Amino acid sequence: MISDYQSFTADLQLSKEDICRELYRQNTDMIRVKKEATAIRSLARIIDSTLRLANTKGFHAMTLRDLCADSELSMGGLYAYIRNKDDLIHLIQTHGFILTRRTLLHYTGAVTMPREKLYEAIKAHLFLSELMRAWFYFSYMEAKSLPEDEKQRAITMEREIEGIFCGILEAGISNGDYRSDNPRLLSSLIKALLQDWYLKRRKYRDQQVDIDTYATTILNLIENHLIP
Amino acid sequence: MISDYQSFTADLQLSKEDICRELYRQNTDMIRVKKEATAIRSLARIIDSTLRLANTKGFHAMTLRDLCADSELSMGGLYAYIRNKDDLIHLIQTHGFILTRRTLLHYTGAVTMPREKLYEAIKAHLFLSELMRAWFYFSYMEAKSLPEDEKQRAITMEREIEGIFCGILEAGISNGDYRSDNPRLLSSLIKALLQDWYLKRRKYRDQQVDIDTYATTILNLIENHLIP
DNA sequence: GTCTATAGCATGATAGAC
DNA sequence: GTCTATCATGCTATAGAC
């Protein structure tokens, strides 16, 4: 169970290194660097820089020269890790998918009561998107210009997440916690609210709304609607 | 007062031509075509094509050759209307601002009771974004890569809209219609829900949720929260 | 007022030295 | 394993014919 954002951050051994190791091993075909240690270090830098630059000017507007400058690699060096610009997208998306799937399932799997579970799912998604804001932002903003296979992967992931929320609402309706309503529509609305947190992060910072307040506000909004 | 989407569409004389005429007259410095009638016709085509292409592949990825092909102008012809690619953004943004401001003020100005006014504002925004979906989508997605002055204009417009909703909620709280709460945060959440309608249009089409249902769902969500 | 042709430049990608 | 140097492409923007 998650108590608040502080404890979540401590809990989740974010260990970017672990994920980069997995990334490296999954992509030995396109990565031509054989020494794992250096490869992992470079991959982390490449992903980091790409996310930063792409989120500022857009992925297409970001040139590979920009990326090389920011990640402190040469053009030749970069091309040891990717075959072309689209491979960058693949690396980044895979990296985010692994972490998101792992985290959401872990935290919602630990609870069974619908109301409690809804709160856990909201917090897990929100907190994760806070920690990985750059990835969530990238993934949302570049979705429309992804290569076709990546687009499909992204849609599947989206459905999976909305399915989690929808399942919780359905369970709550059938066990009488919630009144009868359209769970699919409501889970879409919850998702929209969760997304606004990382899409319009600055707005909430200006309003001095903190993440725990945001989580409870969403929960209250939904519960006041579903519990007469 | 707006009754439903059908009547709204009929009401609003969308007359793109009127707006293009205004656009033309406001931008005689950069438009080198002197015959108003042809200029207006071309402007409408240019804006239309730009929105379509930019929303598919992104504004930066859209080349001016793409645009010329789609709008049936030559490169030289196009450059009679703009000085550079950024001028396209200016045209499009101005065009949307004029229409949005005009519509929202018109429909919310006609009502005074907060609860009624909230419903009108939700409908006006939602219906407008449905009619002008391409513009709203463009404006949201390209916001981060706008030239600095355009970015400021966009932020001002955003604030104006959120201010309208916030004002309504505050009025409702102080006249006792709503219980006391954080109106600024709530108006941000309302905005997020309104945005999801045009950002994820396909999702709601797949769910077979129509626009009038969406409007009442948002209203109910907020009222169930604010009216105990 | 609109066209075709082209200048000038920045980009993605590669070859080959170290 | 990483670098510098270079190629081919495709872009924005303009010049000049009609």
Side-chain angles (χ1 to χ4, degrees), chain B residues 33-35 73-77 81:
Chain B
V33 176
K34 294 297 159 209
K35 229 164 77 185
L73 275 157
S74 63
M75 286 294 273
Y81 294 93

Side-chain angles (χ1 to χ4, degrees), chain A residues 44-60:
Chain A
R45 280 218 307 269
I46 291 170
I47 291 175
D48 213 58
S49 294
T50 306
L51 286 176
R52 179 177 30 258
L53 295 170
N55 286 348
T56 313
K57 15 164 69 184
F59 180 74
H60 192 270

